[in-house]
Amino acid sequence: MYFNVKPLIETSPETDIEVLTEEKEQNQIIVHNDDVNTFDWVIESLIDVCDHTPEQAEQCTLIIHYNGKCDVLTGEYTYLKPRCEELLNRGISAEIV
């Protein structure tokens, strides 16, 4: 005994769907710990330069202190470059990777 079962959704194997995605390389600003800058200065700088919330800046600062470094901002290189330069101008050890 055979049942004629029809699928609930009909699909056609001839249908090709092309999805165009443009992947842009994501970089990160890494801030390194030092013995010069105060917690308050680093927190203030992350708020001003990287648009962090006070809580986010404080958490990043603690990670920097205890782990030696922290990625504080991710994005395209052209977006990160002026922010990294401003952190460097403020005496904060930062790099883009």
Side-chain angles (χ1 to χ4, degrees), residues 35-48:
D35 295 329
V36 178
N37 293 294
T38 65
F39 277 83
D40 289 339
W41 178 244
V42 175
I43 291 169
E44 180 183 327
S45 296
L46 292 176
I47 292 169
D48 292 346

Side-chain angles (χ1 to χ4, degrees), residues 28-95:
Q28 297 173 326
I29 294 179
I30 306 291
V31 173
H32 297 274
N33 191 31
D34 62 35
D35 295 329
V36 178
N37 293 294
T38 65
F39 277 83
D40 289 339
W41 178 244
V42 175
I43 291 169
E44 180 183 327
S45 296
L46 292 176
I47 292 169
D48 292 346
V49 176
C50 299
D51 296 324
H52 282 201
T53 63
E55 296 81 10
Q56 184 181 13
E58 183 178 349
Q59 288 175 352
C60 285
T61 302
L62 288 170
I63 292 169
I64 294 163
H65 179 72
Y66 288 110
N67 293 347
K69 64 182 178 180
C70 179
D71 57 321
V72 297
L73 195 60
T74 301
E76 295 177 39
Y77 184 83
T78 55
Y79 172 75
L80 298 178
K81 186 176 181 199
R83 288 159 178 72
C84 187
E85 288 174 353
E86 179 57 27
L87 290 171
L88 293 169
N89 288 339
R90 291 172 177 237
I92 296 173
S93 176
E95 66 177 335

